[in-house]
Amino acid sequence: MKLFTSSLLLILASHVNAHDIDLSKSVLKQLPDLESLYLHLHQHPELSYKEQKTGQRLAKELTALGFTVTEGVGGFGVVGMLENGIGPTIMIRSDTDGLPIIEQTGKPYASKVKTLDANNNEVGVMHGCGHDIHMTSFIGTAQQLVMHKAQWQGTLMMVAQPAEEVGGGAKAMLKEGLFSRFAQPDHVLGLHVSASLPAGKVAIAPGYALANVDSVDITVKGKGGHGAYPHTTIDPVVIASRIVLALQTIASREISPLEPSVITVGSIHGGSKHNIISNEVTLQLTLRSYNPKVRAQQIAAIKRLTQGIALSAGLPKALAPEVYVHKDETIPSTYNNPELANVMTASIKAELGEENVVKAEPVMAGEDFGMYGRTDENLPITIFWLGGVEPQSYATSVKNGDTLPSLHSSQFAPDYPLTIKTGVRAMTASALDLFNQSTSK
């Protein structure tokens, strides 16, 4: 893999070709088609692991642009390869799955899709996390880079990834040889729409951007009996309650205050009737951190505390709580390579204007985009936030202190024309400069 340097002079020198192109005008010409694509994707969302038609549509778009396209990678993932001379390989990734949400935006183009979930329950389906914006910007970027092939050299690798919402898509694509069957990229780029940033703006966080995510189940055992005779029982509800409170001391007393850590008990279930002490209570937790060592410390502390509390309540070791970490749902933190993030920041500022690019702070949300940088080669990756809020609505919310609909909200409705145009310009400018920077050395 080619050496990656952060020399600002080299970065600025590489802008000559990229910013000779009027991307604003070029994207504007394509915008009607992109808006049509967005509305189609928005109105036809598919849940994780079921993105078959979505993948087929993206494959069709990439094929029409001249890419060599492979479908069915890691589920319904799509890989498009375009060789354009000798140069670096740059991968641009989009995610494709929707969420089990009934859309309540009131928009005339709102999703009306309903389907059955894994438990055979009928649910609505909505692109409540902006993946329709991601896919449209993805195709728009491919269009621009194909239109301006004379301005760059190298290999463009477009990856449409399924199952991001459940943390499985990136793992599946890597397991099926994404970087061995196709190419090992020199840089991996992504974007994610933001529900707290006005459309037209972009935010980038060098370093940690998104968190480690773990889903943990705790099964608390007990000795049930009659609620009127608690002295004859060992109450798992009480043990579980003690565990909930004790878990908060992990962050406050065991982990360095300089290290971000979140342990949230999102679900607690036990018992069946007012006067019955049950035999079992279940807890469901989400764990967040950035540092992998903190993640390991969280899990070890949970196991130790739960067993200690159960023993102190008089439970035998045979009935110790069971702590189960869902390995298939574990997502590593996303670490934006600082050098790559700085290159992209410079590129996007030159394209959108310095006032439209801000430094983002890390968030405790999770994204499996981080998997692409957790390979043996430690590939440089960067994902940036793409503002999606209609600018006047954003200004009004700031003035009045109103809360905007968040990602995963049934009322989330991005200002899609401006958001798409900004996303395509930002991603295209970044890719052009990275191609030119590498080939000019």
Side-chain angles (χ1 to χ4, degrees), residues 46-341:
E46 295 175 293
L47 293 178
S48 305
Y49 298 119
K50 297 183 179 181
E51 315 91 335
Q52 183 175 13
K53 292 181 180 178
T54 303
Q56 289 172 346
R57 177 60 187 265
L58 296 179
K60 179 181 178 182
E61 296 286 340
L62 292 174
T63 299
L65 290 170
F67 285 79
T68 300
V69 176
T70 304
E71 299 182 60
V73 183
F76 294 114
V78 177
V79 179
M81 303 295 295
L82 182 68
E83 295 184 5
N84 186 35
I86 298 173
T89 297
I90 295 177
M91 172 178 149
I92 298 175
R93 173 267 203 175
S94 175
D95 36 16
T96 64
D97 49 336
L99 288 162
I101 299 172
I102 297 174
E103 182 168 351
Q104 296 177 321
T105 61
K107 299 293 185 182
Y109 55 84
S111 169
K112 295 179 173 60
V113 174
K114 291 187 177 180
T115 189
L116 298 178
D117 65 11
N119 297 317
N120 213 35
N121 298 314
E122 187 178 67
V123 294
V125 189
M126 174 191 177
H127 273 300
C129 200
H131 294 188
D132 44 3
I133 292 283
H134 304 175
M135 290 184 280
T136 308
S137 299
F138 172 87
I139 294 299
T141 299
Q143 289 175 345
Q144 292 302 313
L145 290 170
V146 168
M147 289 169 60
H148 301 293
K149 286 174 65 176
Q151 302 293 330
W152 60 273
Q153 289 186 159
T155 299
L156 179 58
M157 182 176 182
M158 304 297 289
V159 175
Q161 177 212 300
E164 183 277 329
E165 294 293 353
V166 294
K171 293 176 187 175
M173 295 193 84
L174 288 167
K175 186 177 180 180
E176 290 194 14
L178 179 64
F179 292 163
S180 57
R181 287 174 58 190
F182 301 98
Q184 180 178 296
D186 295 283
H187 313 294
V188 182
L189 316 183
L191 61 77
H192 200 299
V193 71
S194 169
S196 57
L197 189 71
K201 293 186 181 292
V202 162
I204 303 179
Y208 285 116
L210 295 118
N212 294 311
V213 179
D214 283 287
S215 296
V216 177
D217 294 343
I218 303 175
T219 303
V220 181
K221 307 291 181 61
K223 180 183 175 183
H226 199 296
Y229 309 104
H231 58 289
T232 66
T233 72
I234 301 177
D235 192 340
V237 172
V238 174
I239 296 172
S241 300
R242 290 174 60 191
I243 288 172
V244 170
L245 295 176
L247 291 175
Q248 306 313 309
T249 66
I250 296 173
S252 66
R253 290 297 179 269
E254 296 197 36
I255 293 172
S256 166
L258 302 179
E259 292 282 4
S261 170
V262 174
I263 298 177
T264 295
V265 180
S267 169
I268 179 168
H269 293 279
S272 59
K273 196 174 185 295
H274 301 75
N275 61 350
I276 298 174
I277 293 175
S278 66
N279 288 314
E280 188 174 287
V281 173
T282 58
L283 307 175
Q284 292 181 313
L285 287 63
T286 187
L287 278 52
R288 308 293 167 113
S289 62
Y290 296 127
N291 190 331
K293 292 181 179 179
V294 171
R295 173 187 174 271
Q297 189 177 0
Q298 288 174 329
I299 294 171
I302 289 171
K303 292 178 178 178
R304 188 192 74 248
L305 279 176
T306 53
Q307 292 203 14
I309 291 170
L311 286 173
S312 73
L315 274 178
K317 287 186 178 182
L319 292 179
E322 297 174 0
V323 177
Y324 178 73
V325 180
H326 290 264
K327 298 291 186 182
D328 57 333
E329 296 182 17
T330 294
I331 301 172
S333 57
T334 295
Y335 184 82
N336 281 344
N337 179 280
E339 293 175 315
L340 178 57

Side-chain angles (χ1 to χ4, degrees), residues 415-438:
D415 180 357
Y416 67 87
L418 180 54
T419 304
I420 292 165
K421 181 181 178 183
T422 305
V424 174
R425 290 176 64 193
M427 187 62 81
T428 303
S430 297
L432 283 170
D433 284 346
L434 285 166
F435 277 123
N436 289 325
Q437 173 197 329
S438 299

Side-chain angles (χ1 to χ4, degrees), residues 1-4 174 179 184-188 208 292 332-333 335-340 369-382:
M1 189 172 75
K2 301 169 184 65
L3 294 175
F4 185 68
L174 288 167
F179 292 163
Q184 180 178 296
D186 295 283
H187 313 294
V188 182
Y208 285 116
S333 57
Y335 184 82
N336 281 344
N337 179 280
E339 293 175 315
L340 178 57
F369 179 80
M371 292 290 300
Y372 299 113
R374 298 298 177 121
T375 62
D376 292 338
E377 293 79 15
N378 291 317
L379 301 180
I381 69 171
T382 288

